[in-house]
Amino acid sequence: MHSRWPTSLHPNLSNLLPLSTLQTPTKGPTFRKCIALLQTQKSYPKIIQIHAWSIRHGIPITDPCMGKHLIFSLVSISAPMPYTHTIFTHIHGPTIFTYNTMIKGYAESDTPHHAMHLYHHMHALSILPDTHTYPFLLKAIAKLMDTRVGEMVHSQTIKHGLDGLVFVQNSMVHMYATCGLVENAYKVFEMVPEKGLVTWNSLINGYAINGRPNEALTLYREMGHHGVAPDGFTMVSLMCAGAELGALALGRRAHVYVLKVGLIGNLHVGNALIDLYAKCGAIREAHWVFGEMGSRSVVSWTSLIVGWALNGYGEDALKLFGCMEREELVPTEITFVGVLYACSHCGLVSEGFEYFNRMRDVYGLVPKIEHYGCMVDLLGRAGMVNEAHEFISKMPLEPNAVVWRTLLGACAMHGHVALGEIARSRLAELDPGHCGDYVLLSNLYASDGRWLDAQGVRKTMFRKGVRKAPGHSLVEVGNCVHEFVMGDRSHPQKDEIYAMLEEITKLLKLQGYMPRTSNVLVDIEEEEKEKALCYHSEKLAIAFALISTPSGTAITVIKNLRVCVDCHVATKIISKVFDREIIVRDRSRFHHFRDGSCSCKDYW
Ligand code: ZN
Ligand code: ZN
């Protein structure tokens, strides 16, 4: 009997000792009860209660075993890390398990840098990391996007002989890919002997979120060659990459695949498919997917509402929103961005205000800066620029550069120079050096016939060295997405493309087309070269699609900047002369060109 008790807790001494030391903390019934309670309670207040109860019943706050269980429970319910950390600091001699749990907690929190602090702390105390330390730590580093630390930790996994473990390698691939060091990610990836689904997904996903969707697609094909079957997560990543690229044919193949393997019932896959089709301008197909879905979430509804709105089908977007309300679903802030965007592009000013108020009054959603931006756009597009200015002055939020830019754009569009200059002066304070603002200001003066001022703006811009981001366009032909930059001569079929461009130019001239060089609203791209206008990336992409696809095939082009006036006019005529539907997704919206006109009604 006596041997079961540690000497300090000998029963003979029991009446001399305070309650807290009477029980063996790790073996007593109080302890066991606490552990049992912790395993069933999944709420933060309950866990705090158990903690308080354990202290009252004599388990010291410093007990490493109790601390370990408590921290594990708190981290597993994503409790606030400061509280968890307080417990951690009280523990006498925390084990590697507790350190790992803390690192995991921080990796999943908003303060991932503390994971790194703990790791250094471990080092200082000569506590060796184990197999579980690195996956959590690398996750935190991926969140911090700290490549220097990432490489340092990589070398330490080698030092500790843990770099050969597949799950450490997977985390490493994910970390590098997320940090944008795609080459490093690929090097580690190649070293993984048995590339499981997780490994592939780590890299795919990494490419997709790094704006390198082309690599993601190549990798997806390699996956097929290696006989690894994609799962729902892979398909969602792939579809995100496809949406980014406007890869419609790929999207259709992915659609067939998910139908075949039965993943179509997966809600996330369905939502990704809606988004993909909508972003490729194939909004009817997005609608079809929506209609076929067995179960839908608010995300599904929102994706389609935003899709209709961005594709210029504002009325359909609003109709769908009406259905959503009748189904008594609760719209989100993003749903309202779609709804307000729809109103703005359809010129529905009073409806826009009704929805704006509804958002707050009926759904209790506090409008964010994006929603205020939509309202300024709504008024501005309708030509109500003074009302838009008044709306800005009454905003409860500090108007940001986007809001002022929207007003400046509206002023340029409607020729309100004085107000435009006010907007411009705010922008100069908030976001100096934004190339788009110079373009808008130059447009503003041009709209009033002040050509010298317009030219002056452009000169200032060049003197200050403000450069426009280079324009590029993507077009999918066959199984491949082709990328073109302005004046691109790198494509293997460049000779045919340029020959086609010349033919287009001739045909356009027959239709009365004049290249818009100087006396129209000015676009900075014109600054590049006199001839450059003919070689804007979207024109190259369209010329390439015209020679590479059968007549009658719709052409989808994805452009990273706004379409310039000249390309817009040219594309309208091309759609008529070549009898093609051309869909251009630019930075702000979709243009559906058909039979000589555009769905944006020349306002974008
Ligand atoms: Zn252009
Ligand atoms: Zn258009």
Side-chain angles (χ1 to χ4, degrees):
M1 168 75 191
H2 284 188
S3 62
R4 280 175 57 210
W5 297 85
T7 45
S8 64
L9 294 175
H10 193 279
N12 291 346
L13 301 173
S14 63
N15 54 349
L16 300 172
L17 288 167
L19 185 67
S20 64
T21 49
L22 269 179
Q23 294 162 324
T24 41
T26 53
K27 284 179 184 166
T30 311
F31 179 82
R32 282 197 300 274
K33 191 170 177 186
C34 278
I35 300 305
L37 280 170
L38 281 175
Q39 279 161 356
T40 54
Q41 293 303 333
K42 296 287 168 227
S43 89
Y44 179 48
K46 284 274 189 258
I47 294 175
I48 294 178
Q49 271 180 21
I50 298 167
H51 185 203
W53 188 84
S54 74
I55 295 169
R56 274 204 311 279
H57 288 78
I59 298 175
I61 197 165
T62 52
D63 181 78
C65 199
M66 184 65 202
K68 165 182 131 175
H69 284 277
L70 206 49
I71 286 172
F72 187 80
S73 297
L74 288 164
V75 166
S76 67
I77 60 149
S78 309
M81 284 308 286
Y83 181 76
T84 314
H85 198 107
T86 310
I87 296 171
F88 177 76
T89 53
H90 281 95
I91 301 175
H92 281 168
T95 61
I96 182 65
F97 179 90
T98 310
Y99 270 100
N100 288 346
T101 313
M102 285 299 291
I103 291 174
K104 176 176 187 279
Y106 277 124
E108 287 160 1
S109 77
D110 296 335
T111 50
H113 56 283
H114 288 312
M116 219 38 230
H117 295 163
L118 280 169
Y119 180 70
H120 289 312
H121 196 236
M122 274 170 61
H123 259 262
L125 297 173
S126 304
I127 298 171
L128 281 181
D130 70 2
T131 52
H132 296 287
T133 314
Y134 286 109
F136 299 139
L137 190 66
L138 289 165
K139 190 175 174 180
I141 297 168
K143 242 186 178 175
L144 291 166
M145 306 266 277
D146 192 333
T147 51
R148 196 185 52 79
V149 172
E151 282 172 330
M152 187 265 286
V153 169
H154 185 177
S155 69
Q156 286 176 358
T157 61
I158 298 170
K159 190 177 129 197
H160 293 291
L162 298 170
D163 60 315
L165 295 168
V166 173
F167 55 92
V168 175
Q169 288 171 331
N170 286 345
S171 307
M172 199 79 76
V173 170
H174 172 256
M175 182 275 290
Y176 278 133
T178 311
C179 293
L181 294 182
V182 186
E183 281 73 24
N184 287 18
Y186 201 79
K187 269 183 215 153
V188 180
F189 174 79
E190 283 192 312
M191 278 163 36
V192 182
E194 290 283 312
K195 294 180 185 59
L197 196 53
V198 178
T199 321
W200 287 97
N201 281 347
S202 302
L203 198 59
I204 290 176
N205 203 33
Y207 278 136
I209 55 178
N210 268 295
R212 290 179 68 168
N214 248 339
E215 279 89 343
L217 300 193
T218 312
L219 209 68
Y220 166 71
R221 282 185 207 113
E222 270 184 39
M223 227 170 133
H225 296 154
H226 284 77
V228 178
D231 64 356
F233 183 78
T234 322
M235 292 315 287
V236 170
S237 299
L238 179 72
M239 286 169 185
C240 290
E244 185 92 358
L245 287 169
L248 183 57
L250 171 111
R252 292 202 178 108
R253 283 204 305 280
H255 191 174
V256 170
Y257 177 83
V258 295
L259 278 169
K260 204 171 79 185
V261 299
L263 280 171
I264 194 70
N266 180 316
L267 184 62
H268 299 294
V269 168
N271 289 345
L273 208 48
I274 293 178
D275 193 50
L276 170 68
Y277 278 131
K279 286 199 173 135
C280 290
I283 188 66
R284 293 207 161 70
E285 281 162 278
H287 188 208
W288 187 83
V289 172
F290 178 82
E292 293 291 302
M293 281 170 91
S295 65
R296 300 176 192 126
S297 65
V298 172
V299 176
S300 333
W301 288 82
T302 299
S303 298
L304 191 59
I305 289 170
V306 173
W308 281 123
L310 289 180
N311 276 280
Y313 298 91
E315 281 153 23
D316 293 276
L318 297 178
K319 230 186 271 171
L320 190 64
F321 181 72
C323 296
M324 186 178 177
E325 285 199 306
R326 279 193 293 284
E327 298 241 338
E328 295 184 350
L329 289 159
V330 180
T332 66
E333 287 155 355
I334 302 169
T335 322
F336 275 100
V337 170
V339 167
L340 297 177
Y341 187 95
C343 291
S344 147
H345 284 257
C346 291
L348 301 170
V349 176
S350 57
E351 288 86 343
F353 273 92
E354 275 169 35
Y355 286 118
F356 184 74
N357 294 334
R358 201 166 170 68
M359 175 178 176
R360 203 177 24 207
D361 302 343
V362 177
Y363 298 104
L365 295 168
V366 180
K368 292 202 167 147
I369 196 80
E370 293 88 340
H371 303 102
Y372 285 97
C374 283
M375 297 310 282
V376 172
D377 190 50
L378 174 76
L379 291 164
R381 272 176 193 276
M384 300 160 77
V385 286
N386 291 318
E387 289 84 345
H389 187 215
E390 203 187 316
F391 183 85
I392 294 175
S393 63
K394 288 182 182 161
M395 273 171 59
L397 301 170
E398 193 62 41
N400 64 8
V402 178
V403 170
W404 287 112
R405 195 165 293 133
T406 306
L407 182 66
L408 176 57
C411 290
M413 194 56 84
H414 298 284
H416 288 260
V417 177
L419 187 53
E421 282 177 331
I422 294 176
R424 164 63 190 164
S425 67
R426 291 282 171 282
L427 280 166
E429 289 162 19
L430 289 168
D431 190 8
H434 186 281
C435 67
D437 297 342
Y438 286 90
V439 179
L440 288 175
L441 187 65
S442 170
N443 286 356
L444 178 73
Y445 291 130
S447 72
D448 200 32
R450 288 164 61 175
W451 309 115
L452 278 178
D453 287 328
Q455 239 174 26
V457 173
R458 289 189 284 158
K459 279 188 186 142
T460 311
M461 176 174 174
F462 278 85
R463 202 184 56 239
K464 288 192 176 169
V466 178
R467 297 294 289 166
K468 188 171 179 172
H472 65 81
S473 294
L474 305 169
V475 66
E476 186 192 37
V477 169
N479 281 344
C480 227
V481 176
H482 299 256
E483 182 176 2
F484 294 91
V485 295
M486 193 187 66
D488 205 332
R489 290 193 177 269
S490 62
H491 198 276
Q493 281 164 270
K494 64 175 187 304
D495 294 338
E496 291 104 305
I497 295 169
Y498 278 87
M500 187 61 186
L501 265 181
E502 262 182 46
E503 181 163 348
I504 291 173
T505 314
K506 274 186 212 150
L507 284 167
L508 293 182
K509 284 198 172 139
L510 284 175
Q511 295 281 324
Y513 158 85
M514 292 282 290
R516 309 280 176 121
T517 46
S518 61
N519 61 341
V520 286
L521 299 186
V522 178
D523 187 282
I524 286 302
E525 277 189 344
E526 290 170 349
E527 285 294 334
E528 312 280 350
K529 254 183 243 164
E530 171 65 20
K531 247 190 154 182
L533 210 49
C534 308
Y535 304 138
H536 276 183
S537 60
E538 59 266 56
K539 284 208 187 100
L540 290 168
I542 291 170
F544 173 64
L546 283 173
I547 60 169
S548 332
T549 54
S551 61
T553 316
I555 299 169
T556 308
V557 174
I558 310 294
K559 185 165 192 207
N560 66 330
L561 304 175
R562 274 182 13 142
V563 177
C564 81
V565 178
D566 182 74
C567 288
H568 199 266
V569 173
T571 312
K572 282 202 289 188
I573 304 174
I574 293 170
S575 76
K576 190 175 165 192
V577 174
F578 290 87
D579 191 23
R580 294 272 195 133
E581 183 183 357
I582 302 171
I583 300 155
V584 178
R585 184 179 97 196
D586 75 2
R587 204 182 53 202
S588 69
R589 62 166 295 143
F590 282 88
H591 302 263
H592 289 253
F593 296 93
R594 216 178 278 128
D595 202 26
S597 60
C598 179
S599 62
C600 75
K601 302 184 183 81
D602 301 335
Y603 191 12
W604 70 97

